[in-house]
Amino acid sequence: QYVPVKGDHVIGIVTAKAGDVFKLDVGGSEQASLSYLAFEGATKRNRPNVQVGDLIYGQFLVANKDMEPEMVCIDSSGRSSGMGLIGQDGFLFKVSLGLIRKLLAPKCEIIQELSQLYPFELVLGMNGRIWVKAKTVQQTLIIVNILEACEYMTAEQRKQALAKLSGN
Amino acid sequence: MKATPLSNCERRFLLRAVEERKRLDGRQCYDYRNVRISFGADYGCCVVELGKTRVLGQVSCELVPPKPNRPTEGILFFNLELSPMAAPGFEPGRQSELLVKLNRLIERCLRNSKCIDTESLCVVAGEKVWQIRLDLHLLNHDGNIIDAASIAGIVALCHFRRPDVSVQGEEVTVYTPEERDPVPLSIHHMPICVSFAFFQQGTYLLVDPSEREERVMDGLLVIAMNKHREICTIQSSGGIMLVKDQVLRCSKITAVKVAEITELIQKALENDQKVRKEGGKFGFAESIPNQKITAFKMESAAVDTNNVEEQAEEIITKADPPSEVFAKPILHTPGTAQIGEGIENSWGDLEESEREEAVEEEGESEATAFECQKMETEDTSMMRETKKDEPIVLSDSEEEEVVILEPQELPKKTRTQTNSKQENTSKKAFNKRRRKKRAA
């Protein structure tokens, strides 16, 4: 179960649009709120094109245990720095929180080794959600399965599996 | 708790994958997940695992007076419960539509097919009959509850032993398990449900849908069949229109699957029987593997890795060389300077263009810090280079002919600028040009 923490970057799923505010499911006990003005370049006239069911990558502005958590998609200087609406294709899946932290560590071997295989886009949310997009459905599925299995594999097993894949 | 909503992204991806006949865990369209059956210490208790979906079945019996309109038949009672630990959307005490549907299906499958001989459950006609109660609990929901529940039900019933009874005139003696061995129920055949999920108005079909696939499916067809190829129950939900030969095809597939599963069940029952006879250890403590946190174990997914082309080198050779980067300060008018082109902001690109063709965009959260660092180093290196170069006046357009308001030795410079535009760029070429400029 994920507990929202201020400053954490997470992937949320839009569940409702209530006037000026979006409600997102982030995997915690409560839904987070996200104002439509909290995107880069958003004004009252220029609203972001977000539908129910879309994926958003943002960070927590407010996250106490007493209040509903609040998210934004811009950082303190007003730039998006990679946050915002995540693209339409690709696949979202869930892994354990520990694996995410391992993947986010600097110089993560898993990601470096995977990038040797073929290009892909990857977004990691601290709430355990990962979004992957590769060129074909099959490549995406392979990456998803490897990341899910990384939790249970030792480094040698992983290297073996990747060697088998790149040998094909 | 509310269930996690399904994002549009996932829905689209799953539908695309189905169109390409690919499943999330690498199965084929007609493949079942691994079925594992384990028995408890009591007779009539079993756990069936279909992939990650787990159902616990427990059978118990009781002597009760029979129903008034059926004095010579025993009573069967079936109950399926969706435990809250199965999925976050299940709440205790709430009768959802899904629960009602599943219960009805299990009842029809097991009761109406007359797989259990109810006459044999009669002890004293009109007075005492056995009431057999089957309780199924869903422990984990990963798709296809119906199949797992039906397998658990039939296995539990086959495994169950009721106490032996003897009737002498008016006296009924119920023997305890110590006095006389308990007697199995008389089961004629084993009906097993097989589910088919339909997508795109019946064009694509999958056997044994997982939880994600169930969420995006259009309709569900459940066929309950026994190994003698007799259909016991058939139900279609979701409102899709099915063509006749689709249903026939599904029934043929069902026959094959049911044969396999029945064989598996027989083997499991025999194994358990053998273990109990030999006096070996039996029960859940032995059969369910230890799942400690330190013991990492996961089933290997057979993902199809054929035709995975596009190695990193191929991509580099195929990709176009990056567009030219102007890294010299440009004077629009005297007194102002601009470094780099306003239109093409490709500062970070040049040095890593070859590396990055193999790694498109890595984890954004991770790469933001990473890229910022890279960009800073790029900036400083370019700044160093550009100071040695002469400033070039250039207008915003990238035309060959550039009209400049204050021509001061400018035509020469613009020509060199346009010449350099035409050069082919790669890292080495850029360096050569930089060196040339410096020399000049």
mmCIF file of all heavy atoms in Angstrom, chain B residues 401-436:
data_model
loop_
_atom_site.group_PDB
_atom_site.id
_atom_site.type_symbol
_atom_site.label_atom_id
_atom_site.label_comp_id
_atom_site.label_asym_id
_atom_site.label_seq_id
_atom_site.Cartn_x
_atom_site.Cartn_y
_atom_site.Cartn_z
ATOM 1 N N GLU B 401 20.445 33.223 -48.567
ATOM 2 C CA GLU B 401 20.724 34.661 -48.658
ATOM 3 C C GLU B 401 20.211 35.322 -47.406
ATOM 4 O O GLU B 401 19.049 35.221 -47.077
ATOM 5 C CB GLU B 401 19.983 35.258 -49.859
ATOM 6 C CG GLU B 401 20.460 34.702 -51.196
ATOM 7 C CD GLU B 401 21.872 35.173 -51.488
ATOM 8 O OE1 GLU B 401 22.169 36.358 -51.186
ATOM 9 O OE2 GLU B 401 22.656 34.381 -51.966
ATOM 10 N N VAL B 402 21.064 35.993 -46.746
ATOM 11 C CA VAL B 402 20.657 36.669 -45.522
ATOM 12 C C VAL B 402 20.833 38.161 -45.697
ATOM 13 O O VAL B 402 21.901 38.635 -46.040
ATOM 14 C CB VAL B 402 21.519 36.181 -44.350
ATOM 15 C CG1 VAL B 402 21.152 36.942 -43.102
ATOM 16 C CG2 VAL B 402 21.302 34.697 -44.151
ATOM 17 N N VAL B 403 19.751 38.869 -45.485
ATOM 18 C CA VAL B 403 19.823 40.327 -45.621
ATOM 19 C C VAL B 403 20.073 40.913 -44.255
ATOM 20 O O VAL B 403 19.331 40.662 -43.313
ATOM 21 C CB VAL B 403 18.503 40.875 -46.187
ATOM 22 C CG1 VAL B 403 18.575 42.382 -46.289
ATOM 23 C CG2 VAL B 403 18.217 40.238 -47.535
ATOM 24 N N ILE B 404 21.123 41.663 -44.158
ATOM 25 C CA ILE B 404 21.478 42.204 -42.848
ATOM 26 C C ILE B 404 21.501 43.712 -42.906
ATOM 27 O O ILE B 404 21.931 44.308 -43.878
ATOM 28 C CB ILE B 404 22.835 41.644 -42.416
ATOM 29 C CG1 ILE B 404 22.630 40.145 -42.170
ATOM 30 C CG2 ILE B 404 23.338 42.301 -41.146
ATOM 31 C CD1 ILE B 404 23.777 39.332 -42.314
ATOM 32 N N LEU B 405 21.008 44.293 -41.825
ATOM 33 C CA LEU B 405 20.837 45.736 -41.823
ATOM 34 C C LEU B 405 22.157 46.481 -41.817
ATOM 35 O O LEU B 405 22.300 47.511 -42.430
ATOM 36 C CB LEU B 405 20.003 46.149 -40.611
ATOM 37 C CG LEU B 405 18.569 45.632 -40.667
ATOM 38 C CD1 LEU B 405 17.879 45.904 -39.357
ATOM 39 C CD2 LEU B 405 17.830 46.299 -41.805
ATOM 40 N N GLU B 406 23.133 45.959 -41.057
ATOM 41 C CA GLU B 406 24.391 46.697 -40.969
ATOM 42 C C GLU B 406 25.523 45.855 -41.496
ATOM 43 O O GLU B 406 26.134 45.085 -40.734
ATOM 44 C CB GLU B 406 24.669 47.075 -39.515
ATOM 45 C CG GLU B 406 23.744 48.132 -39.007
ATOM 46 C CD GLU B 406 23.842 48.234 -37.493
ATOM 47 O OE1 GLU B 406 24.688 48.999 -37.018
ATOM 48 O OE2 GLU B 406 23.102 47.510 -36.805
ATOM 49 N N PRO B 407 25.750 45.903 -42.750
ATOM 50 C CA PRO B 407 26.792 45.039 -43.307
ATOM 51 C C PRO B 407 28.178 45.525 -42.905
ATOM 52 O O PRO B 407 28.609 46.577 -43.340
ATOM 53 C CB PRO B 407 26.580 45.131 -44.809
ATOM 54 C CG PRO B 407 25.757 46.362 -45.045
ATOM 55 C CD PRO B 407 25.157 46.782 -43.748
ATOM 56 N N GLN B 408 28.823 44.740 -42.042
ATOM 57 C CA GLN B 408 30.201 45.044 -41.687
ATOM 58 C C GLN B 408 30.972 43.757 -41.803
ATOM 59 O O GLN B 408 30.985 42.951 -40.901
ATOM 60 C CB GLN B 408 30.317 45.509 -40.233
ATOM 61 C CG GLN B 408 29.582 46.760 -39.923
ATOM 62 C CD GLN B 408 29.428 46.889 -38.429
ATOM 63 O OE1 GLN B 408 30.038 46.157 -37.662
ATOM 64 N NE2 GLN B 408 28.600 47.815 -38.006
ATOM 65 N N GLU B 409 31.616 43.562 -42.897
ATOM 66 C CA GLU B 409 32.336 42.327 -43.176
ATOM 67 C C GLU B 409 31.423 41.121 -43.029
ATOM 68 O O GLU B 409 31.878 40.031 -42.757
ATOM 69 C CB GLU B 409 33.492 42.096 -42.199
ATOM 70 C CG GLU B 409 34.461 43.212 -42.058
ATOM 71 C CD GLU B 409 35.469 42.793 -41.009
ATOM 72 O OE1 GLU B 409 35.166 42.944 -39.825
ATOM 73 O OE2 GLU B 409 36.505 42.261 -41.394
ATOM 74 N N LEU B 410 30.146 41.343 -43.140
ATOM 75 C CA LEU B 410 29.242 40.253 -42.821
ATOM 76 C C LEU B 410 29.106 39.239 -43.950
ATOM 77 O O LEU B 410 29.065 38.062 -43.689
ATOM 78 C CB LEU B 410 27.866 40.806 -42.446
ATOM 79 C CG LEU B 410 27.930 41.637 -41.182
ATOM 80 C CD1 LEU B 410 26.634 42.364 -40.964
ATOM 81 C CD2 LEU B 410 28.248 40.748 -40.011
ATOM 82 N N PRO B 411 29.061 39.703 -45.182
ATOM 83 C CA PRO B 411 28.828 38.708 -46.232
ATOM 84 C C PRO B 411 29.780 37.529 -46.133
ATOM 85 O O PRO B 411 29.399 36.388 -46.288
ATOM 86 C CB PRO B 411 29.053 39.496 -47.525
ATOM 87 C CG PRO B 411 28.726 40.895 -47.164
ATOM 88 C CD PRO B 411 29.076 41.049 -45.726
ATOM 89 N N LYS B 412 31.043 37.795 -45.835
ATOM 90 C CA LYS B 412 31.971 36.675 -45.711
ATOM 91 C C LYS B 412 31.489 35.686 -44.673
ATOM 92 O O LYS B 412 31.445 34.496 -44.866
ATOM 93 C CB LYS B 412 33.343 37.218 -45.272
ATOM 94 C CG LYS B 412 34.425 37.049 -46.318
ATOM 95 C CD LYS B 412 35.771 37.295 -45.732
ATOM 96 C CE LYS B 412 36.052 38.797 -45.684
ATOM 97 N NZ LYS B 412 37.208 39.131 -44.848
ATOM 98 N N LYS B 413 31.155 36.234 -43.561
ATOM 99 C CA LYS B 413 30.816 35.349 -42.443
ATOM 100 C C LYS B 413 29.555 34.554 -42.724
ATOM 101 O O LYS B 413 29.466 33.387 -42.435
ATOM 102 C CB LYS B 413 30.639 36.156 -41.167
ATOM 103 C CG LYS B 413 31.958 36.637 -40.633
ATOM 104 C CD LYS B 413 31.767 37.504 -39.431
ATOM 105 C CE LYS B 413 33.065 38.225 -39.149
ATOM 106 N NZ LYS B 413 32.871 39.394 -38.327
ATOM 107 N N THR B 414 28.575 35.234 -43.321
ATOM 108 C CA THR B 414 27.341 34.476 -43.566
ATOM 109 C C THR B 414 27.584 33.368 -44.548
ATOM 110 O O THR B 414 27.035 32.302 -44.455
ATOM 111 C CB THR B 414 26.240 35.410 -44.096
ATOM 112 O OG1 THR B 414 26.764 36.097 -45.222
ATOM 113 C CG2 THR B 414 25.841 36.395 -43.032
ATOM 114 N N ARG B 415 28.462 33.658 -45.508
ATOM 115 C CA ARG B 415 28.732 32.582 -46.464
ATOM 116 C C ARG B 415 29.368 31.394 -45.779
ATOM 117 O O ARG B 415 29.031 30.256 -46.029
ATOM 118 C CB ARG B 415 29.642 33.084 -47.580
ATOM 119 C CG ARG B 415 28.862 33.325 -48.881
ATOM 120 C CD ARG B 415 29.709 33.774 -50.012
ATOM 121 N NE ARG B 415 29.672 35.225 -50.155
ATOM 122 C CZ ARG B 415 30.768 35.980 -50.197
ATOM 123 N NH1 ARG B 415 31.939 35.465 -50.097
ATOM 124 N NH2 ARG B 415 30.654 37.295 -50.312
ATOM 125 N N THR B 416 30.290 31.707 -44.918
ATOM 126 C CA THR B 416 30.898 30.554 -44.216
ATOM 127 C C THR B 416 29.848 29.823 -43.407
ATOM 128 O O THR B 416 29.849 28.617 -43.301
ATOM 129 C CB THR B 416 32.029 31.014 -43.287
ATOM 130 O OG1 THR B 416 31.504 31.960 -42.377
ATOM 131 C CG2 THR B 416 33.171 31.586 -44.067
ATOM 132 N N GLN B 417 28.961 30.621 -42.851
ATOM 133 C CA GLN B 417 27.898 29.993 -42.050
ATOM 134 C C GLN B 417 27.069 29.061 -42.916
ATOM 135 O O GLN B 417 26.794 27.938 -42.583
ATOM 136 C CB GLN B 417 27.024 31.078 -41.439
ATOM 137 C CG GLN B 417 26.012 30.555 -40.454
ATOM 138 C CD GLN B 417 26.647 29.997 -39.211
ATOM 139 O OE1 GLN B 417 27.794 30.289 -38.918
ATOM 140 N NE2 GLN B 417 25.933 29.169 -38.515
ATOM 141 N N THR B 418 26.660 29.565 -44.098
ATOM 142 C CA THR B 418 25.819 28.717 -44.921
ATOM 143 C C THR B 418 26.603 27.530 -45.435
ATOM 144 O O THR B 418 26.072 26.448 -45.569
ATOM 145 C CB THR B 418 25.245 29.497 -46.117
ATOM 146 O OG1 THR B 418 26.360 30.088 -46.797
ATOM 147 C CG2 THR B 418 24.316 30.586 -45.647
ATOM 148 N N ASN B 419 27.886 27.723 -45.714
ATOM 149 C CA ASN B 419 28.682 26.573 -46.128
ATOM 150 C C ASN B 419 28.647 25.498 -45.088
ATOM 151 O O ASN B 419 28.451 24.338 -45.361
ATOM 152 C CB ASN B 419 30.144 26.996 -46.371
ATOM 153 C CG ASN B 419 30.298 27.585 -47.748
ATOM 154 O OD1 ASN B 419 29.432 27.389 -48.592
ATOM 155 N ND2 ASN B 419 31.391 28.298 -47.960
ATOM 156 N N SER B 420 28.849 25.965 -43.890
ATOM 157 C CA SER B 420 28.903 24.956 -42.835
ATOM 158 C C SER B 420 27.549 24.278 -42.664
ATOM 159 O O SER B 420 27.459 23.159 -42.227
ATOM 160 C CB SER B 420 29.355 25.587 -41.530
ATOM 161 O OG SER B 420 28.405 26.550 -41.127
ATOM 162 N N LYS B 421 26.496 24.964 -43.033
ATOM 163 C CA LYS B 421 25.167 24.323 -42.935
ATOM 164 C C LYS B 421 25.098 23.122 -43.836
ATOM 165 O O LYS B 421 24.484 22.129 -43.538
ATOM 166 C CB LYS B 421 24.098 25.317 -43.374
ATOM 167 C CG LYS B 421 23.385 26.002 -42.246
ATOM 168 C CD LYS B 421 22.177 26.729 -42.774
ATOM 169 C CE LYS B 421 22.392 28.210 -42.562
ATOM 170 N NZ LYS B 421 21.356 29.026 -43.141
ATOM 171 N N GLN B 422 25.755 23.261 -44.998
ATOM 172 C CA GLN B 422 25.587 22.180 -45.952
ATOM 173 C C GLN B 422 26.432 20.971 -45.603
ATOM 174 O O GLN B 422 26.215 19.909 -46.096
ATOM 175 C CB GLN B 422 25.963 22.653 -47.359
ATOM 176 C CG GLN B 422 24.927 23.613 -47.927
ATOM 177 C CD GLN B 422 25.537 24.537 -48.930
ATOM 178 O OE1 GLN B 422 26.611 24.260 -49.450
ATOM 179 N NE2 GLN B 422 24.892 25.651 -49.187
ATOM 180 N N GLU B 423 27.405 21.180 -44.779
ATOM 181 C CA GLU B 423 28.266 20.033 -44.422
ATOM 182 C C GLU B 423 27.471 18.964 -43.716
ATOM 183 O O GLU B 423 26.544 19.253 -42.983
ATOM 184 C CB GLU B 423 29.380 20.505 -43.494
ATOM 185 C CG GLU B 423 30.630 20.934 -44.227
ATOM 186 C CD GLU B 423 31.680 21.354 -43.222
ATOM 187 O OE1 GLU B 423 31.724 20.771 -42.128
ATOM 188 O OE2 GLU B 423 32.404 22.293 -43.525
ATOM 189 N N ASN B 424 27.912 17.779 -43.926
ATOM 190 C CA ASN B 424 27.284 16.662 -43.226
ATOM 191 C C ASN B 424 27.788 16.636 -41.800
ATOM 192 O O ASN B 424 28.970 16.796 -41.563
ATOM 193 C CB ASN B 424 27.696 15.362 -43.929
ATOM 194 C CG ASN B 424 26.610 14.336 -43.796
ATOM 195 O OD1 ASN B 424 25.573 14.596 -43.198
ATOM 196 N ND2 ASN B 424 26.837 13.167 -44.359
ATOM 197 N N THR B 425 26.902 16.417 -40.861
ATOM 198 C CA THR B 425 27.379 16.469 -39.484
ATOM 199 C C THR B 425 27.457 15.098 -38.857
ATOM 200 O O THR B 425 26.614 14.246 -39.005
ATOM 201 C CB THR B 425 26.440 17.284 -38.604
ATOM 202 O OG1 THR B 425 25.120 16.920 -38.937
ATOM 203 C CG2 THR B 425 26.677 18.743 -38.772
ATOM 204 N N SER B 426 28.471 14.960 -38.141
ATOM 205 C CA SER B 426 28.593 13.861 -37.206
ATOM 206 C C SER B 426 29.522 14.417 -36.173
ATOM 207 O O SER B 426 30.019 15.520 -36.336
ATOM 208 C CB SER B 426 29.173 12.620 -37.863
ATOM 209 O OG SER B 426 30.485 12.905 -38.259
ATOM 210 N N LYS B 427 29.763 13.687 -35.177
ATOM 211 C CA LYS B 427 30.565 14.263 -34.094
ATOM 212 C C LYS B 427 31.920 14.697 -34.617
ATOM 213 O O LYS B 427 32.415 15.749 -34.322
ATOM 214 C CB LYS B 427 30.716 13.214 -33.002
ATOM 215 C CG LYS B 427 31.383 13.738 -31.776
ATOM 216 C CD LYS B 427 31.292 12.718 -30.666
ATOM 217 C CE LYS B 427 32.140 13.127 -29.496
ATOM 218 N NZ LYS B 427 32.145 12.143 -28.453
ATOM 219 N N LYS B 428 32.509 13.804 -35.420
ATOM 220 C CA LYS B 428 33.858 14.110 -35.886
ATOM 221 C C LYS B 428 33.854 15.330 -36.786
ATOM 222 O O LYS B 428 34.706 16.191 -36.681
ATOM 223 C CB LYS B 428 34.407 12.926 -36.680
ATOM 224 C CG LYS B 428 34.639 11.716 -35.820
ATOM 225 C CD LYS B 428 35.281 10.607 -36.610
ATOM 226 C CE LYS B 428 35.176 9.321 -35.827
ATOM 227 N NZ LYS B 428 35.193 8.172 -36.689
ATOM 228 N N ALA B 429 32.832 15.382 -37.643
ATOM 229 C CA ALA B 429 32.789 16.514 -38.578
ATOM 230 C C ALA B 429 32.671 17.811 -37.801
ATOM 231 O O ALA B 429 33.298 18.804 -38.122
ATOM 232 C CB ALA B 429 31.622 16.350 -39.529
ATOM 233 N N PHE B 430 31.851 17.794 -36.763
ATOM 234 C CA PHE B 430 31.671 19.005 -35.977
ATOM 235 C C PHE B 430 32.996 19.422 -35.351
ATOM 236 O O PHE B 430 33.371 20.571 -35.364
ATOM 237 C CB PHE B 430 30.606 18.759 -34.916
ATOM 238 C CG PHE B 430 30.315 19.953 -34.084
ATOM 239 C CD1 PHE B 430 29.712 21.064 -34.637
ATOM 240 C CD2 PHE B 430 30.669 19.995 -32.758
ATOM 241 C CE1 PHE B 430 29.452 22.176 -33.882
ATOM 242 C CE2 PHE B 430 30.398 21.101 -31.998
ATOM 243 C CZ PHE B 430 29.795 22.188 -32.551
ATOM 244 N N ASN B 431 33.664 18.434 -34.811
ATOM 245 C CA ASN B 431 34.940 18.752 -34.182
ATOM 246 C C ASN B 431 35.906 19.305 -35.185
ATOM 247 O O ASN B 431 36.606 20.267 -34.919
ATOM 248 C CB ASN B 431 35.522 17.498 -33.517
ATOM 249 C CG ASN B 431 34.820 17.220 -32.210
ATOM 250 O OD1 ASN B 431 34.284 18.141 -31.621
ATOM 251 N ND2 ASN B 431 34.816 15.978 -31.790
ATOM 252 N N LYS B 432 35.895 18.691 -36.383
ATOM 253 C CA LYS B 432 36.822 19.160 -37.415
ATOM 254 C C LYS B 432 36.517 20.612 -37.759
ATOM 255 O O LYS B 432 37.415 21.423 -37.887
ATOM 256 C CB LYS B 432 36.653 18.318 -38.684
ATOM 257 C CG LYS B 432 37.424 17.026 -38.646
ATOM 258 C CD LYS B 432 37.530 16.405 -40.016
ATOM 259 C CE LYS B 432 37.519 14.889 -39.870
ATOM 260 N NZ LYS B 432 36.804 14.232 -40.919
ATOM 261 N N ARG B 433 35.179 20.875 -37.854
ATOM 262 C CA ARG B 433 34.801 22.242 -38.209
ATOM 263 C C ARG B 433 35.230 23.203 -37.119
ATOM 264 O O ARG B 433 35.692 24.284 -37.366
ATOM 265 C CB ARG B 433 33.297 22.299 -38.435
ATOM 266 C CG ARG B 433 32.815 23.582 -39.027
ATOM 267 C CD ARG B 433 31.454 23.412 -39.667
ATOM 268 N NE ARG B 433 30.592 22.519 -38.925
ATOM 269 C CZ ARG B 433 29.758 22.895 -37.967
ATOM 270 N NH1 ARG B 433 29.661 24.164 -37.640
ATOM 271 N NH2 ARG B 433 29.004 22.025 -37.356
ATOM 272 N N ARG B 434 35.021 22.758 -35.879
ATOM 273 C CA ARG B 434 35.409 23.639 -34.782
ATOM 274 C C ARG B 434 36.888 23.920 -34.831
ATOM 275 O O ARG B 434 37.345 25.026 -34.622
ATOM 276 C CB ARG B 434 35.032 23.003 -33.447
ATOM 277 C CG ARG B 434 33.597 23.228 -33.076
ATOM 278 C CD ARG B 434 33.372 22.944 -31.644
ATOM 279 N NE ARG B 434 33.169 21.512 -31.409
ATOM 280 C CZ ARG B 434 32.885 21.018 -30.214
ATOM 281 N NH1 ARG B 434 32.787 21.808 -29.181
ATOM 282 N NH2 ARG B 434 32.710 19.735 -30.055
ATOM 283 N N ARG B 435 37.620 22.852 -35.144
ATOM 284 C CA ARG B 435 39.069 23.045 -35.186
ATOM 285 C C ARG B 435 39.446 23.959 -36.338
ATOM 286 O O ARG B 435 40.320 24.792 -36.229
ATOM 287 C CB ARG B 435 39.775 21.692 -35.330
ATOM 288 C CG ARG B 435 40.005 21.062 -33.963
ATOM 289 C CD ARG B 435 40.715 19.741 -34.046
ATOM 290 N NE ARG B 435 39.883 18.691 -33.485
ATOM 291 C CZ ARG B 435 39.552 17.591 -34.127
ATOM 292 N NH1 ARG B 435 39.960 17.381 -35.361
ATOM 293 N NH2 ARG B 435 38.801 16.691 -33.576
ATOM 294 N N LYS B 436 38.712 23.781 -37.464
ATOM 295 C CA LYS B 436 39.006 24.622 -38.619
ATOM 296 C C LYS B 436 38.787 26.086 -38.275
ATOM 297 O O LYS B 436 39.579 26.947 -38.584
ATOM 298 C CB LYS B 436 38.085 24.249 -39.784
ATOM 299 C CG LYS B 436 38.624 23.151 -40.673
ATOM 300 C CD LYS B 436 37.806 23.044 -41.944
ATOM 301 C CE LYS B 436 37.506 21.578 -42.234
ATOM 302 N NZ LYS B 436 36.342 21.390 -43.044
#
